[in-house]
Amino acid sequence: MSTNLNVDIYNADLYLRLSREDGDKEESDSITNQRELILDFLKSKKDIRIHAVRVDDGYSGVNFERPAFQQMLEDIKTGEVNCVITKDLSRFGRNHIEVGKYIEKIFPYMGVRFIAVNDNFDSIEGGTQADNFIIPFKNLINDAYCRDISIKIRSNLEVKRKRGDFVGAFAPYGYQKSAVDKNKLEIDDDAAEVVRFIFRLYLQGSNAHKIAEKLNKKNILTPMDYKKENGSAFYTGFKKNLKSQWTHMNVLRILGNPVYTGTLVQGKETTPNYKVKKKVKRDQSKWSQVENTHEAIIASVDFNNVQEQLQMDTRTGAAKEKVYFLSGIVKCGGCGANMVRKTVPSGKRKFVYYVCGSHKGNKNICGPHSINAESLEESVLKLLNHQIKNVTDLGRILAKLEDAQIREGEMDKKSGKIAKKKKEIQKYNSLRLDLYEDYKDGLITKEEYLELKEIYEERIRAAEQMLETMEVEAAFLANGQGDVCGWVNEFKKYGYLECLSREVVISLIEQILIYEKKKGERYPRIEIHFKYAQEFQASLNLLEELRQDSGIQPVSDEYGLQKKGGEGTYGKDE
């Protein structure tokens, strides 16, 4: 289809486009080059008058939702323009279906003359030029070229992500792109200090809402405003020309981002194909995660503690500045539900208790047992100080094991035991599998089959647990005290505690179990599960093996270490 118009003068929009995403060559396809080529062409066209030059610099030819392109369409709709001139068809667009629709339907219908200079196409020059196979074929080639470039770009980005290169448009808050290598992140000191402030407050017990309030009171710029303040061409569809406010969501996004530990997680979103630009979420298994790609702002242990705390039920009243020391940590030893903190006024006094949370909803699940909050906190403090002393003493013993010869000899023994334990697991697995064949062949009854199967599965579970402990011990021997015993320093850094704090509870305690008081007992039983319990027990096992080999007295006797710590009863009346 062609356009035949009887017009003396054509008002034309010159359309120029450049996009590296399409693989455009910046030198030959530059905006300046396109403009000069069209202007030179128009010197011999006395019937064409320039109305405007429309430029889309940095926009893909696949998508037609380009600002300058849309302005040009508005010029056509208002009747100000009846001619469109572009360097070639690829500048107009790279989607062969859309380009064909404009050339063969939309422009002829609206009486618009279309000229592609380098393709020698002018819709006014009659005949069946637009119906000729050459123009659609060129559009198809441009489309295929764009698809090929898109595949190459996606592949290149995936390689960079797996290599640990940062490929985002903007550095995460707290970082900036390196001046030497744009794919590497460097700490932005000012923003990084805000990130540390947020993590510190949260570990101390402040919730996300309170942290956001404090940041706003300090007039600290939000990540979006900080980017604008530092000259980033950052666009958002939300507030404009107004200072934005920190919200709890801003805070939570920072608290949950592993980038602050030196880990890059990228490729969470993608586009279905090169023609559809709408973002879709990718399955987590397809994310790219690379550790130690840049300097950390937050220590991994602190980040992990925050993630654990984010999963806890630590709701507080609106007027409450911080969560309670033990919030989300205290569980019922019977049913596993959270123990809920309750305040009961009695005259001028207030009594504070922890009560099993499931009892209120269903009295058949668990009993109405409770424990006095003050007494619980005193007992936790006492047991926590005891465990800190145990770990500190253990650390002093472990420090003596830095002798390479000791480690090498013990490593050989440990490797042998690990191999033996793996064979044991393999043996029980084989016996378990053979049982079914015996059952099918009628050699054993169904009852015998189920009984023996349960015995073998229990032995496999026990052996696997023992193997896991052995491998922790082997890791300690292989890497040395300095690498593996960082967990010792997590206890040592707090020293003797005068009082509890949210930070120390989150850092050192996994959970606290409160059991219902049994008949004849004066107080409920408290059981504390400390963090790094596996490392603690593995280290004791290792030291015990060394003692047996050398014939010295037990290390638990020498330092007063408990083989199984973390349990106790509190000693005050409710």
Side-chain angles (χ1 to χ4, degrees):
M1 182 181 290
S2 62
T3 304
N4 294 303
L5 300 170
N6 296 316
V7 179
D8 294 330
I9 297 294
Y10 289 93
N11 293 319
D13 269 1
L14 313 187
Y15 183 70
L16 320 175
R17 185 188 66 80
L18 180 67
S19 170
R20 294 183 191 176
E21 184 181 338
D22 289 343
D24 298 335
K25 300 176 184 65
E26 194 169 358
E27 183 178 347
S28 61
D29 287 330
S30 69
I31 297 299
T32 301
N33 179 282
Q34 293 178 51
R35 183 186 288 109
E36 290 178 354
L37 186 143
I38 295 174
L39 291 176
D40 186 63
F41 167 78
L42 290 177
K43 288 178 182 178
S44 61
K45 301 292 182 180
K46 304 300 181 184
D47 60 337
I48 299 177
R49 183 168 56 201
I50 298 174
H51 170 264
V53 178
R54 302 299 185 187
V55 180
D56 279 321
D57 194 352
Y59 288 87
S60 170
V62 177
N63 183 2
F64 283 79
E65 295 298 321
R66 311 169 219 144
F69 189 89
Q70 293 301 317
Q71 287 177 341
M72 182 175 70
L73 291 183
E74 287 299 319
D75 292 343
I76 293 171
K77 290 176 184 177
T78 58
E80 298 176 47
V81 166
N82 58 357
C83 181
V84 172
I85 306 173
T86 187
K87 177 193 170 188
D88 54 42
L89 290 168
S90 70
R91 298 305 94 211
F92 186 76
R94 290 190 184 273
N95 184 324
H96 78 280
I97 295 176
E98 290 296 315
V99 171
K101 185 168 68 175
Y102 275 101
I103 294 176
E104 298 182 24
K105 293 183 178 180
I106 297 175
F107 285 170
Y109 177 79
M110 302 183 76
V112 175
R113 179 181 179 182
F114 178 73
I115 300 172
V117 179
N118 276 1
D119 290 318
N120 296 316
F121 178 80
D122 187 343
S123 62
I124 202 174
E125 293 181 357
T128 60
Q129 190 176 9
D131 293 327
N132 190 287
F133 77 92
I134 295 176
I135 294 303
F137 186 64
K138 282 188 175 182
N139 288 334
L140 191 60
I141 290 174
N142 287 329
D143 195 324
Y145 178 70
C146 189
R147 181 175 63 251
D148 183 57
I149 291 297
S150 174
I151 292 171
K152 289 178 179 177
I153 290 174
R154 283 172 183 258
S155 176
N156 185 46
L157 288 176
E158 190 64 25
V159 169
K160 284 187 172 183
R161 284 194 285 262
K162 288 181 178 179
R163 194 169 58 204
D165 289 346
F166 178 74
V167 297
F170 299 98
Y173 182 71
Y175 289 97
Q176 59 191 1
K177 291 185 179 182
S178 169
V180 178
D181 184 352
K182 66 178 182 180
N183 295 126
K184 297 299 178 185
L185 296 177
E186 295 177 346
I187 290 180
D188 179 344
D189 291 331
D190 292 337
E193 194 53 44
V194 177
V195 172
R196 294 187 188 99
F197 178 69
I198 290 171
F199 273 86
R200 187 164 58 248
L201 287 180
Y202 195 79
L203 284 170
Q204 290 171 355
S206 293
N207 60 44
H209 289 279
K210 294 299 180 183
I211 294 173
E213 288 178 11
K214 288 185 178 181
L215 294 170
N216 288 325
K217 286 179 182 179
K218 289 176 172 287
N219 292 317
I220 294 174
L221 293 174
T222 63
M224 181 180 70
D225 286 338
Y226 187 79
K227 285 185 176 76
K228 291 179 180 178
E229 186 88 1
N230 286 274
S232 295
F234 186 70
Y235 171 78
T236 177
F238 297 98
K239 292 182 179 180
K240 293 182 180 179
N241 302 321
L242 291 173
K243 182 182 175 183
S244 56
Q245 294 286 301
W246 283 89
T247 67
H248 74 287
M249 289 306 299
N250 294 137
V251 173
L252 290 175
R253 273 194 289 270
I254 288 174
L255 290 172
N257 195 341
V259 73
Y260 300 116
T261 66
T263 298
L264 273 181
V265 180
Q266 301 181 101
K268 293 183 178 181
E269 295 181 330
T270 187
T271 54
N273 56 55
Y274 70 104
K275 292 184 179 181
V276 180
K277 296 302 179 183
K278 183 180 179 181
K279 296 283 187 181
V280 294
K281 293 186 180 297
R282 299 177 78 186
D283 186 84
Q284 189 169 348
S285 62
K286 296 181 179 179
W287 293 359
S288 173
Q289 180 167 325
V290 184
E291 298 179 352
N292 302 317
T293 61
H294 53 275
E295 186 179 353
I297 294 175
I298 302 298
S300 293
V301 64
D302 290 334
F303 181 81
N304 292 335
N305 286 336
V306 166
Q307 303 321 297
E308 290 177 10
Q309 193 170 346
L310 287 170
Q311 299 301 316
M312 295 177 186
D313 183 1
T314 55
R315 290 168 290 181
T316 60
K320 183 70 179 174
E321 181 71 20
K322 294 183 178 180
V323 298
Y324 296 106
F325 298 147
L326 305 180
S327 183
I329 299 288
V330 185
K331 308 282 185 179
C332 172
C335 68
N338 279 334
M339 296 286 284
V340 182
R341 198 174 193 272
K342 297 286 186 182
T343 302
V344 181
S346 178
K348 295 182 179 181
R349 298 180 62 189
K350 289 184 179 180
F351 294 90
V352 184
Y353 295 88
Y354 280 91
V355 185
C356 176
S358 65
H359 175 74
K360 183 178 180 181
N362 187 344
K363 293 178 172 57
N364 295 323
I365 293 179
C366 203
H369 59 291
S370 63
I371 187 168
N372 179 276
E374 182 181 353
S375 297
L376 172 62
E377 290 171 6
E378 287 180 3
S379 296
V380 171
L381 178 62
K382 180 180 178 181
L383 290 170
L384 192 51
N385 273 323
H386 187 66
Q387 183 70 358
I388 290 172
K389 182 180 184 303
N390 275 347
V391 174
T392 302
D393 289 342
L394 177 63
R396 287 201 293 271
I397 307 172
L398 294 175
K400 298 178 181 179
L401 296 180
E402 280 301 284
D403 186 277
Q405 290 183 338
I406 295 177
R407 286 212 311 272
E408 186 176 350
E410 289 300 317
M411 187 64 200
D412 290 340
K413 295 177 186 177
K414 192 61 63 181
S415 296
K417 291 180 179 179
I418 287 174
K420 186 177 179 181
K421 188 59 64 175
K422 286 181 178 179
K423 284 183 179 179
E424 182 183 334
I425 293 171
Q426 187 176 5
K427 180 187 75 173
Y428 286 130
N429 272 319
S430 297
L431 288 170
R432 184 182 60 175
L433 292 173
D434 291 342
L435 274 177
Y436 184 69
E437 295 298 324
D438 292 344
Y439 170 60
K440 279 178 62 179
D441 294 341
L443 299 176
I444 58 175
T445 65
K446 182 178 180 181
E447 290 74 18
E448 289 173 330
Y449 164 71
L450 293 174
E451 182 181 352
L452 289 170
K453 180 173 175 284
E454 177 62 31
I455 290 172
Y456 287 144
E457 286 178 345
E458 179 59 37
R459 290 179 180 177
I460 289 170
R461 282 193 293 270
E464 286 177 339
Q465 289 177 358
M466 182 63 71
L467 176 63
E468 190 176 354
T469 300
M470 287 179 174
E471 288 175 339
V472 172
E473 295 170 7
F476 165 71
L477 287 168
N479 296 286
Q481 183 262 342
D483 292 331
V484 178
C485 291
W487 63 273
V488 173
N489 294 328
E490 287 302 306
F491 283 85
K492 286 173 62 178
K493 71 182 182 182
Y494 291 104
Y496 181 81
L497 299 172
E498 296 290 342
C499 60
L500 288 179
S501 70
R502 180 65 178 175
E503 184 175 4
V504 73
V505 168
I506 288 297
S507 298
L508 303 183
I509 297 177
E510 197 78 48
Q511 65 177 359
I512 301 170
L513 299 178
I514 308 298
Y515 290 89
E516 189 168 6
K517 186 168 57 178
K518 293 181 181 179
K519 187 176 181 181
E521 292 181 342
R522 187 178 179 187
Y523 305 113
R525 182 163 64 91
I526 302 169
E527 184 177 298
I528 299 180
H529 290 224
F530 293 104
K531 289 189 176 180
Y532 310 106
Q534 187 181 27
E535 289 84 349
F536 181 80
Q537 192 61 46
S539 298
L540 284 180
N541 292 343
L542 177 63
L543 293 176
E544 188 63 25
E545 288 181 21
L546 288 173
R547 181 199 69 79
Q548 291 173 358
D549 291 341
S550 60
I552 61 174
Q553 65 176 331
V555 292
S556 54
D557 292 346
E558 181 182 354
Y559 284 93
L561 300 180
Q562 291 185 346
K563 280 253 178 176
K564 186 177 180 182
E567 294 186 5
T569 56
Y570 81 104
K572 291 183 68 175
D573 292 329
E574 295 184 325

